[in-house]
Amino acid sequence: MAAEITVKTLGVTGGHTYSYTIAAPNYGRGTYLLLHGFPSASYDWRHIIEDLTAEGYGIVAPDLLGYGNTSKPTAVEEYAQEDISCHVAEILEHEGISGVVGVGHDWGAGLLSSMWYYHPQLFESLVFMATPYSPVSPNPIDLSAINTRTEKAFGYPIYGYWTFFNQTDAASIIERHHDSFTTLLYPEDPAIWKTIVCPIGKLRAWLEADKETTRASYISDEEWDTHSKIMLNGGYTGPLNWYKAAMAGLNKSPTLDTARQAITKRTIFISGENDAIGRPEIAQQTADEGRNSGLLPNVETFVVPGSSHWMQVEKSKEVLAILKNL
């Protein structure tokens, strides 16, 4: 019954080559498109892929642009969401796949938002993990407004670390202090993000001091080594360009068709209870506003108890139960 997993590559528009993990479904079961976030690769979905394919579900999990074995252009302009959404659509079209359950985590959720706008015909339903739906807009992201609003609401600005990520030496600093960064990425106590990752200036100071915190118990030595190898082999220039592109206004659409913003398919938001950035309150507010406005008429919210940002790794069985319901 298990679906056979293979890894393929495909050249897409713009001259880039994508690597993607794929398994065809068995017995008429559906296919899940799994879009990872920062900073990982399709490896982020290892537990989910294993469990879905064991039950015969199909999966497509690309290493997104700048990650893993996919092309890693250095120019910020290459990381516009419209272009990357077209790349992923090309993979699905090449494989003859449509009607997928789109699942995006972190920046993968942001990409899923763009894919709905530009390629809605590909989806049966959509799942946004850690980051709720953010419709394509004619305006660039207002980082200052988000940080001001969230600091007032929660006591800290949730996107304060973006300021560091936008600096020219951010990639080299992270690479030089990678163990320091990775312990902070996967901390045993996720509350440390509220004081070190989110406030402006704190993350850079932490890394330059080469500090470390206790690693999360759900990350094994093997997983730590594999993650570090993936990220250091490719470097952080490409991954950080996802943030720089957003701050440069490259994800806006000046010719916006507002009718295409509404998600008419079943939509799920999944939040980790202890996620300091993708807070459940933000997902719930987005869902409530979406229902009231008609933007998200079929939205549901789920909170994974005891989980932080990396729920697909930390609490994969709980996430799997939600996904299989789709």
Side-chain angles (χ1 to χ4, degrees), residues 76-77 79-81 240-251:
V76 174
E77 292 74 18
Y79 291 82
Q81 295 284 282
L240 291 181
N241 277 344
W242 287 67
Y243 293 89
K244 293 179 179 181
M247 285 182 273
L250 298 180
N251 296 338

Side-chain angles (χ1 to χ4, degrees), residues 76 143 161-170 240 243-245 247-248:
V76 174
L143 186 64
Y161 61 98
W162 283 42
T163 302
F164 167 58
F165 283 178
N166 201 35
Q167 294 168 358
T168 56
D169 59 351
L240 291 181
Y243 293 89
K244 293 179 179 181
M247 285 182 273

